[in-house]
Amino acid sequence: MKQDVFDTENLDRLSCRYGMSRLQCRGPQRSLDGDYIAFVGGTETYGKLIDQPFPARVEHLVGMTCVNFGCVNAGVDAFVNDPTVMRACAQARMTVVQVMGANYLSNRFYSVHPRRNDRFLRASTVLQAIYPEVDFSNFTFTRHMLGDLLDKCADRFDIVVSELRAAWVARMQSLLGQIGPNAVLLWFSTETPDDTPWQERSALLSAEPLFVNATMIDALRPLVHDLVVVQPPRRGGPVGMRGMFFSAQQRQAVSELMGPSAHADATVALTQKLGALLGVTTT
């Protein structure tokens, strides 16, 4: 494989902020004057270690400014609590909202960092009562914490999953309510958007978006124009990493990210849908 040698700090410098928002979104910063399409999502929408993530590609094909509000390790909470981003999305001609995992949000059982939603902050007294044998001070990341809870007791873990799913639907309804009617959901994952029990998925707790199923998405359909499903094939090894920019130390982490070919798939699907909704001719 030809490994792309690149100063990854060059991509990091593309991060930007809008107005009073504290979110580090994907740059370069775009104008919020005139017509534009907004994109909200996590690491996949941001396009970590990728030169041209799908929002930038869509802009070229649709011929309209595309503002990438994607943030690394962000979930619903990062956006629903950010008035600057919510206002920008409400004023957009259309907003594409990536379906993000249900583990990336604060709920009755635990709290996450307000912007880096993969970071575990603290467990509630309710969760401590359900798992009295667990020392929650040992955890930094939500997925690590959830894995430990599952190992301790699968039956009690089902209570946690039910809470996360209910919180996710409520938070997404709030987010879409702030955005308004001009929104499209994007399922961008190698997983299938159906009601397969999470414990029967091959990726288990590594699945993205974690714990989200078709029933949860159906609850949101009245609030959006449509759901765009992009399910790229799993491409591991050199093929999946081709066209990504990373250092040798990042190699293992890169294998878990969506590569340029997956972003190309998302570009095609979104360009077709957005072009039809906006009544524009795509190139």
Side-chain angles (χ1 to χ4, degrees), residues 33 41 61 64 100 114 152-153 158 181 189 201 203 211 249 253 258:
D33 296 327
L61 296 175
M64 185 179 297
M100 296 164 278
K152 289 290 191 298
C153 180
D158 282 340
S189 171
R201 294 184 183 273
F211 302 139
Q249 291 77 13
M258 290 289 191

Side-chain angles (χ1 to χ4, degrees), residues 157-233:
F157 190 71
D158 282 340
I159 301 173
V160 177
V161 173
S162 295
E163 164 62 19
L164 295 184
R165 285 176 162 169
W168 185 91
V169 172
R171 211 69 48 83
M172 282 292 290
Q173 289 172 334
S174 175
L175 181 140
L176 293 171
Q178 292 185 60
I179 291 174
N182 293 326
V184 171
L185 290 177
L186 169 64
W187 178 279
F188 189 29
S189 171
T190 57
E191 301 290 329
T192 303
D194 57 24
D195 283 325
T196 300
W198 70 266
Q199 60 269 38
E200 294 181 12
R201 294 184 183 273
S202 59
L204 293 177
L205 292 185
S206 296
E208 290 287 2
L210 188 58
F211 302 139
V212 179
N213 59 24
T215 297
M216 296 162 67
I217 293 174
D218 286 343
L220 306 177
R221 287 186 183 273
L223 301 175
V224 299
H225 282 287
D226 207 348
L227 168 71
V228 176
V229 176
V230 181
Q231 189 181 0

Side-chain angles (χ1 to χ4, degrees), residues 103-274:
N103 55 310
Y104 295 131
L105 50 80
S106 294
N107 54 83
R108 287 193 310 125
F109 290 158
Y110 64 83
S111 301
V112 301
H113 188 279
R115 292 174 298 280
R116 295 182 64 87
N117 298 156
D118 62 328
R119 301 295 181 94
F120 171 80
L121 293 184
R122 66 187 66 86
S124 70
T125 55
V126 177
L127 185 59
Q128 292 178 50
I130 296 174
Y131 283 94
E133 73 275 31
V134 175
D135 181 359
F136 288 95
S137 66
N138 291 328
F139 305 119
T140 302
F141 298 97
T142 60
R143 211 177 296 258
H144 178 202
M145 183 268 295
L146 291 170
D148 194 71
L149 298 187
L150 175 60
D151 290 341
K152 289 290 191 298
C153 180
D155 290 339
R156 283 180 283 170
F157 190 71
D158 282 340
I159 301 173
V160 177
V161 173
S162 295
E163 164 62 19
L164 295 184
R165 285 176 162 169
W168 185 91
V169 172
R171 211 69 48 83
M172 282 292 290
Q173 289 172 334
S174 175
L175 181 140
L176 293 171
Q178 292 185 60
I179 291 174
N182 293 326
V184 171
L185 290 177
L186 169 64
W187 178 279
F188 189 29
S189 171
T190 57
E191 301 290 329
T192 303
D194 57 24
D195 283 325
T196 300
W198 70 266
Q199 60 269 38
E200 294 181 12
R201 294 184 183 273
S202 59
L204 293 177
L205 292 185
S206 296
E208 290 287 2
L210 188 58
F211 302 139
V212 179
N213 59 24
T215 297
M216 296 162 67
I217 293 174
D218 286 343
L220 306 177
R221 287 186 183 273
L223 301 175
V224 299
H225 282 287
D226 207 348
L227 168 71
V228 176
V229 176
V230 181
Q231 189 181 0
R234 298 180 186 275
R235 298 187 178 100
V239 174
M241 291 184 274
R242 186 173 297 141
M244 302 181 75
F245 304 103
F246 57 93
S247 64
Q249 291 77 13
Q250 294 172 305
R251 189 179 186 84
Q252 179 58 41
V254 167
S255 65
E256 301 172 2
L257 299 174
M258 290 289 191
S261 60
H263 280 255
D265 294 341
T267 300
V268 171
L270 286 170
T271 298
Q272 293 174 347
K273 176 58 62 177
L274 293 171

Side-chain angles (χ1 to χ4, degrees), residues 13-16 18 25-31 51-52 56 66-68:
R13 293 193 189 100
L14 290 178
S15 294
C16 65
Y18 289 87
C25 303
R26 177 64 187 251
Q29 190 173 61
R30 309 312 309 276
S31 172
D51 185 39
Q52 288 284 304
C66 288
V67 183
N68 189 344

